[in-house]
């Protein structure tokens, strides 16, 4: 992969060289490409990558860092200075500016040496010091921290990114080289570092458009998190590698020849799919390795956007396209500004992915936001601003989040989830996470549209507001001046932007409030009720409680997590928070078989006053089939407690009814107790 990356960079320096026909699957890149380089050779390489760098300043940082790290060793036994040299080298390859390369050389001096911050600022300037300090703060993350501290750690990473994007780029490159040399570290350190890389740094690299680095981070993480899977994939791929490369070379030459016969000037090569993407596909579709035929994708690179669409037409005319496999990321770029056309064809009886892009799109796809420093012009600056627009939303979440955990939950869903694009009637694309609803779409367009949303039409048909949208849908929102968000929306919307705006409109202070025993949106915690409907596979004498981050519904797949206080929190099986937690503390849970077990319960509903609130709650309970035996109300200023004594034939009914009552406008909290 690095060979093709280098060749494409040569092209952008003005020396166009042909790309290799086949980029083979290789295990990893070299660990130390600067090994054996003296200072002058290193400077020559930097100048070759970026003629505009200021070598005098970099040489001063080179000598300073070498002296500061003198005598220090890495796990591998290599001098520690070799690590910072590699980081600076990769930054120069990406075309970063002088200050970034200097900061790359100095990024560990504050943490690992006796050098003081004021010394860095005095010698190298405030700008470099700010970058080094930012990376140092991220380095202070404790991998063994408790969950609350881990949330705070992740917040540090994201907020460092919002202050100066170069901080996170330097940190990602620092992590990349650490991952390349992770085999020398103790096993426990390998696993922790790989998990953090997969959960935090790879997704951020993707968000910044750094696809090549993101893919390598994922592959390296898989190597240590699933070593058996990784080695088996490697063995099977290598076993058939010569014949596969021969076949791909034949395909590449055939496609290039046919397209050139049609008068098109193209560069075609075969790109090996990364180990992690193969692993994900096998897992997602429950495939054996033998059933995965598309281990390679074919890339066609052309000069203009118009040529991209001409190539697409020719490809579909020459080979049969597979239905529902066409994605036009040129017309509707991903939120990280990735642009390319993807399509799949039947070639030789098997599916083959074709990616079509311009040389400019190719550069942008490989290096992402880092390419901004190579080309500084008006158009590039606009692209840079678009690439970091998501950071503005991060700052909004930071300001409105009361705890680190709430901030991370708001960020994770939008940052790490797969995207779809839904269009306004005017054709403007709105990026949303998978499973998003018209309400998410409305808030994605504008806060006022979300707050006054009354109904929605998707592709010309009226749909309910909890409908899950699909990529390519055209959504029209009907608004009203008298419209107001419903509390029910909080149960169905997917974006944290929508959840935050709905809570603001309804006056709900926050989803998490760790300082109180109960919060406005928490699920009922009564042990006796939960024990009656949830069946743990182990730790069956444990206290059960609902997690704070999701809303498991009766009958849906659930999983437990053993908390530090000995209790078991019940989560949805696909809960995003749960995915980030320690696997060793996860517990298999299932709903108990439905039993017609009757019983008496008290339902206490806390509400704020509005006309019709009591009939709404009464009708909801009555429609469920529950028998209301008694009703009491208690007034406190503008708030009311409505207490029901009910008899149910099946205790499992209570979970559903509690959720329904919580969805009623002006309901603040619902509790269920046993008389």
């Amino acid at each position: 992969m690095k060979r093709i990356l280098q060749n494409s960079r040569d092209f952008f320096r003005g020396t166009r060289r042909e790309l290799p026909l086949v980029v083979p699957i290789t295990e990893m890149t070299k660990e130390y490409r600067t090994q054996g380089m003296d200072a002058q050779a290193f400077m020559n390489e930097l100048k070759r990558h970026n003629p505009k760098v200021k070598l005098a300043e970099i040489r001063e940082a080179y000598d300073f860092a070498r002296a500061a790290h003198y005598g220090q060793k890495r796990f591998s036994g290599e001098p520690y200075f070799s690590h910072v040299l590699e980081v600076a080298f990769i930054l120069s390859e990406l075309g970063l500016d002088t200050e970034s390369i200097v900061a790359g050389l100095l990024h560990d001096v504050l943490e690992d040496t006796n050098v003081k911050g004021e010394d860095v600022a005095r010698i190298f300037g405030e700008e470099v010091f700010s970058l080094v300090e930012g990376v140092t703060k991220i380095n202070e993350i404790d991998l063994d921290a408790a969950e609350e501290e881990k949330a705070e750690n992740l917040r540090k990473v994201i907020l460092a990114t919002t202050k100066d994007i170069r901080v996170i780029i330097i940190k990602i490159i620092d992590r990349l080289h650490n991952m390349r040399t992770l085999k020398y570290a103790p096993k426990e350190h390998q696993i922790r570092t790989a998990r953090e890389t997969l959960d935090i740094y790879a997704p951020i690299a993707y968000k910044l458009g750094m696809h090549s680095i993101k893919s390598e981070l994922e592959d390296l993480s898989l190597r240590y998190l699933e070593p058996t899977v990784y080695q088996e994939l490697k063995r099977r791929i290598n076993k058939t590698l010569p014949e596969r490369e021969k076949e791909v070379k034949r395909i590449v030459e055939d496609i290039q020849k046919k397209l050139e016969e049609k008068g098109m000037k193209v560069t075609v090569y075969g790109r090996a799919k990364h180990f992690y993407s193969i692993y994900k596909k096998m897992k997602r579709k429950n495939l054996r390795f033998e059933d995965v035929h598309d281990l390679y994708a074919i890339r066609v690179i052309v000069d203009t956007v118009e040529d991209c669409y001409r190539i697409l037409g020719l490809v579909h005319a020459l080979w049969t396209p597979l239905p529902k496999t066409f994605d036009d990321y040129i017309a509707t770029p991903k939120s990280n500004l990735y642009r390319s056309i993807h399509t799949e064809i039947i070639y030789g009886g098997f599916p083959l992915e074709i990616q079509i892009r311009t040389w400019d799109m190719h550069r942008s796809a490989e290096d992402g936001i880092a390419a901004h420093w190579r080309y500084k012009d008006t158009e590039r600056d606009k692209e840079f601003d678009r690439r970091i627009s998501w950071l503005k939303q991060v700052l909004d979440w930071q300001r409105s989040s009361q705890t680190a955990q709430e901030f991370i939950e708001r960020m994770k869903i939008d940052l790490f989830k797969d995207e779809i694009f839904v269009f306004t009637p005017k054709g403007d694309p709105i990026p949303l996470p998978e499973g998003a609803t018209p309400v998410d779409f409305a808030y994605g367009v504008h806060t006022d549209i979300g707050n006054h949303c009354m109904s929605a039409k998707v592709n010309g048909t009226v749909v309910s507001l909890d409908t899950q949208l699909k990529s390519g849908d055209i959504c029209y929102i009907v608004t009203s001046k008298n419209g107001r968000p419903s509390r029910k929306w909080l149960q169905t919307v997917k974006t944290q932007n929508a959840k935050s705006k709905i809570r603001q409109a309804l006056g709900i202070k926050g989803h998490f409030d760790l300082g109180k025993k109960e919060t406005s949106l928490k699920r009922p915690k009564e042990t006796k009720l939960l024990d009656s409907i949830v069946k743990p596979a182990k730790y069956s004498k444990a206290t059960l409680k609902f997690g704070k981050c999701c809303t498991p519904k009766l009958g849906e797949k659930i999983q437990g997590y053993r908390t530090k206080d000995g209790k078991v929190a019940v989560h949805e099986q696909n809960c995003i928070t749960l995915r980030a937690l320690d696997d060793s503390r996860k517990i298999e849970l299932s709903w108990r078989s439905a039993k017609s077990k009757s019983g008496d319960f008290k339902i206490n509903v806390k509400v704020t006053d509005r006309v019709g609130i009591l009939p709404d709650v009464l009708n909801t309970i009555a429609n469920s089939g529950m028998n209301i035996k008694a009703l009491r109300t208690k007034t406190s200023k503008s708030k009311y407690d409505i207490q029901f004594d009910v008899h149910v034939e099946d205790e499992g009914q209570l979970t559903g009814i509690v959720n329904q009552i919580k969805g009623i406008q002006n309901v603040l909290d619902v509790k269920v107790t046993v008389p």
Side-chain angles (χ1 to χ4, degrees), residues 614 618 628-633 642-645:
L614 182 57
L618 275 170
I628 301 175
K629 299 172 67 176
L631 166 66
R632 295 174 296 280
T633 60
I642 310 173
Q643 298 172 349
F644 299 91
D645 292 346

Side-chain angles (χ1 to χ4, degrees), residues 314-377:
L314 289 173
V315 167
H316 283 187
L318 291 167
W319 296 279
T320 303
L322 283 171
K324 299 182 179 178
T325 60
F326 170 69
D327 290 298
D328 186 351
Y329 297 120
I330 295 179
T332 56
K334 293 186 177 183
S335 62
N336 62 4
L337 297 192
Y338 173 83
R339 301 176 74 205
S340 189
I341 292 175
H342 291 196
T343 188
E344 284 191 31
I345 60 172
I346 297 295
Y347 190 101
F350 296 109
L352 178 68
E353 183 180 35
I354 307 286
Q355 299 175 359
I356 307 166
R357 60 177 63 158
T358 66
W359 286 100
D360 188 59
M361 293 172 194
H362 179 66
R363 169 204 55 81
S364 182
E366 293 300 311
D367 295 346
I369 202 168
H372 166 73
W373 282 271
R374 186 180 294 123
Y375 300 98
K376 283 193 174 182
D377 55 44

Side-chain angles (χ1 to χ4, degrees), residues 420 422-424 430 432-447 449-459 461-470 473-479 489 492-495 497-498 502:
I420 62 172
V422 179
F423 294 87
T424 68
I430 304 297
L432 296 169
E434 283 185 339
T437 68
V439 176
D440 291 299
F441 174 84
Y443 280 104
V445 175
H446 197 277
T447 300
I449 293 177
N451 285 342
H452 297 95
C453 171
M454 295 295 290
S455 63
K457 290 182 180 179
V458 175
N459 303 326
T461 303
V462 176
V463 299
S464 62
L465 291 178
D466 61 358
T467 299
Q468 291 194 359
L469 299 170
K470 301 187 295 297
D473 283 343
I474 299 173
C475 190
Y476 175 76
I477 301 297
V478 179
T479 60
W489 294 356
T492 56
V493 294
K494 297 300 180 189
T495 61
N497 176 51
I502 293 167

Side-chain angles (χ1 to χ4, degrees), residues 586-613:
K586 293 177 183 176
I587 299 167
E588 295 300 321
L589 296 179
S590 62
W591 299 103
R592 293 187 184 277
S593 300
K595 297 179 181 178
S596 296
K597 184 177 179 181
S598 60
D600 292 329
F601 295 87
K602 290 183 179 294
I603 302 177
N604 188 79
V605 184
K606 189 180 293 293
V607 303
T608 55
D609 189 24
R610 73 166 171 83
V611 176
I613 183 67

